[in-house]
Amino acid sequence: MNKMSQNKRDKQNMQNKQNKQNKQNKRKSGVLCIWLLMMSVFMLTGCSPSHSSGETKTAAVETTSEAAEQTKENARPEETGKAVSEGEELSWEECQENARLKIHILDVGQGNSILVESGDQAMLIDGGPADTSSYVVSYLKQRGIDDLDYAVVSHYDADHISGMVGVLRTCDVDVLLNPDYEEDTKIYSSYIDAKEDNGCEVEIPEIGDVYELGEAEFTIVAPVSYDHRDVNDNSIGVRIVCGESEFLILGDAEMESEYEILDEGMELESDVYLAGHHGSSSSSSERLLEAVDPQIVIISAGLGNSYGHPSKDTMERLEDKDFTLYRTDMQGTICACTDGKIITFREEPCNDWSPGEVLEDQDNEEPQVEVNKDGLDEGGTSETAGISEMNYIGNINSKKYHLPSCSSLPKEENQIRFYSKKEAEKAGYEPCQRCQP
């Protein structure tokens, strides 16, 4: 649970460099093997290289039978798996069985909330905005998580800490990491009250700090300091490493912070990069993308958000580099797992490079939640968006949601409560056919 010593940190940095070299060697070996295979086919069959190269690469990457491929094409996204590493692929079920780390990019609309699980430990990075707070809480309950080993607040914008207030009110938290600055907002005051009531250990991390999480570990890679004029650049950034698999999450850090951590010489290369600031044009600079060199980019943004995220400039930068793309605004919650070598995604990539579109009648005001010491707003409603007065009840086992009056309600220990149909369906639940909610 505690931070690693400096010697262990130096040792890990050396190990990261070795892992990086090993991965590069594996890629080179894979390319050599494919080239030798192509030449063998060419010599034996007389096929022209220009005609066979594309087919040979496909044969090397796709190893499933023709019948299995047909099943995969007809399957729902959660029944398939997309592996990061070329030439190697695991189904979602296979990855789940052998997973050393699981990561969930929750669909919280215009905000961030990321659940990371490794071994018997769990970490939540940000909690999303107020209107999806109950979704985050119910998602943790669905995963059987009522005790977080770490909670990380990247910075104090409402679309990152509102949901964390609800989490702190409903979950035990061992260690809470938050930045070293203050805000004069109602939601910040609610956050301060919630973390004090929770009784968790609070730490202000410094760049280079390393923490253990189950079979993985994460390093604080940002910010260099907490005194930026733009509070987005005070965002805590983490690089999560499990074996040879790496994930980079930088909160709302913008180019000023990006350049600072690059100049600091932090190790940033990662397989998966959660685009900074929801794909804003002021984040994900060319310098950063070159240093991170990801295979997968994920964007967490709300459909039709009033900011137009992700921006046209950012999408063009990402598309030019031919990354594989996932988006919560188009795909909902995105899940991945790794055995320490191969990263498998539950969903297929969308690879939709269109920028965000602003819907009419939207405004830039983030809903505020004013709560008292009992966790209730002035109207008596739970700060987790109505967690005690929700309109629908889900069955954890059947994955159906019901009206509270339904005669098919599950036992209380198997219930999850939802505020809306949209929230229930986001969590993967289907309507009960008896009560037809």
Side-chain angles (χ1 to χ4, degrees), residues 223-338:
V224 172
S225 68
Y226 292 108
D227 58 1
H228 297 91
R229 172 178 294 182
D230 187 335
V231 295
N232 286 330
D233 286 320
N234 290 334
S235 291
I236 294 173
V238 301
R239 180 173 180 263
I240 304 165
V241 177
C242 180
E244 298 177 10
S245 302
E246 307 119 350
F247 303 80
L248 183 66
I249 301 169
L250 296 179
D252 280 359
E254 301 193 337
M255 291 186 188
E256 181 177 346
S257 180
E258 291 176 0
Y259 292 165
E260 288 176 351
I261 62 178
L262 287 167
D263 292 342
E264 194 73 13
M266 297 302 299
E267 175 62 58
L268 299 176
E269 183 178 26
S270 300
D271 300 298
V272 179
Y273 166 55
L274 179 64
H277 201 181
H278 320 292
S280 166
S281 61
S282 56
S283 300
S284 301
S285 62
E286 288 284 356
R287 280 187 64 193
L288 181 79
L289 294 177
E290 289 175 4
V292 179
D293 191 26
Q295 296 182 56
I296 300 284
V297 173
I298 304 173
I299 294 175
S300 178
L303 183 64
N305 67 84
S306 59
Y307 306 95
H309 293 157
S311 75
K312 181 174 181 293
D313 290 345
T314 297
M315 298 309 285
E316 289 177 352
R317 285 197 294 271
L318 298 176
E319 185 177 15
D320 287 346
K321 295 190 178 298
D322 199 29
F323 299 136
T324 298
L325 182 69
Y326 292 81
R327 296 174 58 163
T328 62
D329 60 342
M330 295 187 174
Q331 299 174 275
T333 293
I334 294 165
C335 299
C337 61
T338 180

Side-chain angles (χ1 to χ4, degrees), residues 370-387:
E370 185 174 5
V371 297
N372 61 26
K373 63 180 181 179
D374 298 318
L376 302 177
D377 66 18
E378 291 181 343
T381 304
S382 166
E383 67 185 277
T384 56
I387 196 168

